Amino acid sequence: MPKATLIRGARQLLTLRGASGPRRGADLRNLGLIQDGAVLIIDGRIHDVGPSRRLENLALARQADEIDASGRLVMPGFVDCHTHVVSGPVRVPDSEVPGALARTIQELSPRTLQTQALHTVEQAVRHGTTALESKSGCGLTETNEIKILRVHSALRKQSVPLTSTFLCAAVSPSYQDHPDQYLEHVCSNMLPLIQRRKLAEFADIRCQEGAFTVDQARRFLVAARQLGFGLKIYTGGRSLPGVIPLAVELGVSSVGHVLTGHAFNVTPDEAILLAQSQTIATLLPGPVFYSGSSNYAPARTLIDAGVAVALGSHYHPESSPSLNMQMMIALACGYMGMTPAEAVAASTINAAHTFGKAATIGSLESDKCADLLILDVPDYREIPYHFGMNLVELVMKNGTVLVERSEVKWPTP
């Protein structure tokens, strides 16, 4: 007997149904909205979506467990496409010293690091994230980086919906004066080891002033592609000329950036290149807000040029200690010129495209995973309005309820 669940009566149901590729331009605002909508779930997969009246009359729906979403918003779970969840505890500013994070990772046992990372992911789930990408890059040494990636694997065995990325973020201290030698070591030793042990699905490199050059990034990405990794580029500070052409040439899935200077200062020609490619610009407002900077990504310029964009939290214990994608939507709308519809699409279906999971998550369509949220608002446009609040009433992953917020119980007078 199949397990059936019917979520019915949603004031607004956002399906995000649409074309198979990343959404861009006007399509980014098409949420596939259904008034008084319903979702029928069979054995963890979406069987059908549509008006409540139609779905309630289906034979399978008559035997289903019902969840009443009356007056509320139902939408796909958030997909956080840029995090560092395996990075130890949040560090208060007074304790920040150079290299402290890497030393913390070195000192913590794998079990402790895994426990802390699981707690971090649980915070993300409570705020509506049902899938995320987690990067290494905080460890600095080969031993620490492999430790981080091993914890990724352990979390996935615990059914944590995590995609693992190896981020070549900086030259290891033991190679400080020999970056080319370090990169050769990474390409000839670390990448093959990570690939053999299936510790990561994607390979990423920080290409910016103070990190790796465009030529070095090319060598790394070509070597990673030959081993079968998906490719990403991260420009975490002042970006370098040639990053965008390189990303498009090599078919990089996403270019991530934190605007802590003039990073990702895209020229009109580069915007055209991105718009004509499948490479997604991942926008990360969290670190900009946390640092007190005003250098938010030029989302409006990119979207109007036809570039596909995604939103991520860039969770990091030192520079962006938040996993609340609702807050990222508020920042995108308040400071980056995005509309609520664009921000929702960027944090669901387009985010899923950045790590190759859009065929199964990111929208509510037949045969996709039943990853969805019920939010305590009647209209999606209220998500950025209630900034900093957690609007989640229910979180469902693969048809299983992970979070269900209970009612406040006042004492009897």
Side-chain angles (χ1 to χ4, degrees), residues 355-407:
F355 51 92
K357 296 291 193 296
T360 56
I361 62 174
S363 63
L364 304 181
E365 303 181 70
S366 295
D367 205 37
K368 281 196 169 187
C369 298
D371 295 3
L372 57 82
L373 312 176
I374 299 178
L375 301 187
D376 190 23
V377 288
D379 191 302
Y380 73 88
R381 291 169 294 186
E382 291 192 30
I383 298 174
Y385 178 80
H386 301 285
F387 69 92
M389 294 179 63
N390 187 9
L391 303 173
V392 168
E393 283 285 337
L394 179 143
V395 178
M396 179 177 284
K397 177 70 183 176
N398 293 325
T400 298
V401 174
L402 300 183
V403 177
E404 191 167 15
R405 191 161 68 185
S406 58
E407 296 296 325

Side-chain angles (χ1 to χ4, degrees), residues 29 283 296-301 303-304 329-340 342-343:
R29 299 191 294 274
L283 313 182
Y296 287 93
R300 187 75 268 140
T301 300
I303 293 169
D304 290 346
I329 288 175
L331 293 174
C333 294
Y335 296 102
M336 292 161 54
M338 295 180 74
T339 68
E342 291 168 340

